[in-house]
Amino acid sequence: MGETIIPCYVLTDGTRVLSGNAMQNALKLQEEHETKSGTRLVRYLNQKTLETFIYKDKSLDHYNPIECYKGNQKINGYEATILADICEAFLEARNNINLSTRQKIIADQCEILIRGFARVGIVALINEATGYQYERERFELQKILTAYVSEEILKWQLTFRDDFYKEIFRLWDLPFIPKYIKNKPSFIGKLTIKYIYDQMPRGVIEKVKENIGKTENGNWKYR
């Protein structure tokens, strides 16, 4: 959003989460030269001068952080709309009380974020109303497939040099001799798919297989 980058996640139950530290940075809760502390956000949420605005029409546990994991990486975050709640609270406080110098900086930043939310939000609403987000995904996928997959079946050509297979043979302790080079063990083909083709963008290998097709005997029609 402008120059502000906020890592975001969607949990398995559909909850949208923003990184707590990133929210803290986005709100400019501390000077750039200060040591980053993950507790700064909690301190502002508990400031007495802001309490009336922060907790207006909200329960005491409304701002409780969410502990979640991305693999083994622990993420302390907040439900995404919490950021909008904090911004609204600071803006209302700015209109009603005298803020400290740091609080004024935060309130000004909140105004910038709220305007960003509005711009992003209206685009998202139009995308949702027209179904464009699904069209966009389809267009993006088609661009990827066009870059990787030819519509015509090309003449077979050597794609992976012998050095590639020589290293695989070495790792599996196989002699690099004509017998094995010409008729490679089937597991080498599976390794090629796993470490080469499966690393391509989603949908590419499926499209390749679709284009190639199989014979009645179950063999691929083309190499």
Side-chain angles (χ1 to χ4, degrees):
M1 299 180 59
E3 296 180 355
T4 303
I5 298 174
I6 310 175
C8 54
Y9 311 88
V10 179
L11 306 188
T12 52
D13 64 0
T15 302
R16 273 67 169 175
V17 173
L18 298 178
S19 160
N21 275 334
M23 276 177 53
Q24 194 168 266
N25 295 336
L27 290 166
K28 295 190 175 179
L29 299 189
Q30 57 196 23
E31 299 285 355
E32 292 184 3
H33 64 270
E34 290 181 325
T35 302
K36 301 297 182 184
S37 170
T39 62
R40 187 60 66 97
L41 179 57
V42 176
R43 284 171 55 189
Y44 273 96
L45 291 175
N46 291 323
Q47 282 189 345
K48 289 296 182 182
T49 56
L50 300 173
E51 187 175 299
T52 303
F53 308 100
I54 294 287
Y55 289 96
K56 181 181 179 181
D57 302 324
K58 295 176 178 62
S59 62
L60 293 176
D61 62 355
H62 180 72
Y63 295 98
N64 285 354
I66 297 173
E67 183 179 299
C68 47
Y69 290 84
K70 181 182 179 182
N72 293 325
Q73 178 190 356
K74 180 181 177 181
I75 298 166
N76 288 316
Y78 291 85
E79 194 275 323
T81 58
I82 292 292
L83 180 55
D85 291 339
I86 294 173
C87 288
E88 289 175 353
F90 267 91
L91 291 177
E92 187 172 352
R94 186 178 67 177
N95 290 335
N96 288 278
I97 63 174
N98 292 322
L99 300 179
S100 68
T101 301
R102 173 51 52 183
Q103 288 173 340
K104 288 179 182 177
I105 292 173
I106 296 169
D108 291 344
Q109 183 66 9
C110 285
E111 184 174 0
I112 292 172
L113 290 174
I114 285 290
R115 288 177 177 177
F117 296 158
R119 288 187 176 89
V120 173
I122 193 147
V123 171
L125 283 172
I126 293 173
N127 286 349
E128 180 69 28
T130 61
Y132 176 70
Q133 73 269 35
Y134 307 113
E135 288 294 304
R136 181 175 59 186
E137 289 177 6
R138 185 171 65 82
F139 293 149
E140 289 302 315
L141 176 60
Q142 193 55 51
K143 283 165 60 179
I144 291 172
L145 294 180
T146 300
Y148 282 91
V149 184
S150 172
E151 288 300 321
E152 60 178 320
I153 301 299
L154 303 177
K155 182 180 180 181
W156 184 87
Q157 56 183 330
L158 182 66
T159 305
F160 306 115
R161 299 189 309 176
D162 285 343
D163 289 348
F164 171 74
Y165 292 107
K166 187 181 293 184
E167 293 301 328
I168 292 181
F169 278 47
R170 180 181 62 79
L171 289 172
W172 264 262
D173 200 25
L174 290 172
F176 196 65
I177 57 177
K179 173 186 175 182
Y180 289 133
I181 296 173
K182 184 176 181 180
N183 297 304
K184 299 179 180 65
S186 60
F187 80 89
I188 289 183
K190 293 177 181 177
L191 288 176
T192 304
I193 291 173
K194 180 177 181 180
Y195 293 112
I196 302 294
Y197 290 105
D198 281 351
Q199 305 307 312
M200 290 183 174
R202 185 178 302 173
V204 170
I205 189 66
E206 290 79 5
K207 186 66 175 178
V208 170
K209 291 179 179 178
E210 179 186 317
N211 280 7
I212 294 174
K214 289 189 174 183
T215 65
E216 293 181 357
N217 296 327
N219 300 316
W220 295 110
K221 291 181 180 178
Y222 304 95
R223 296 181 67 181

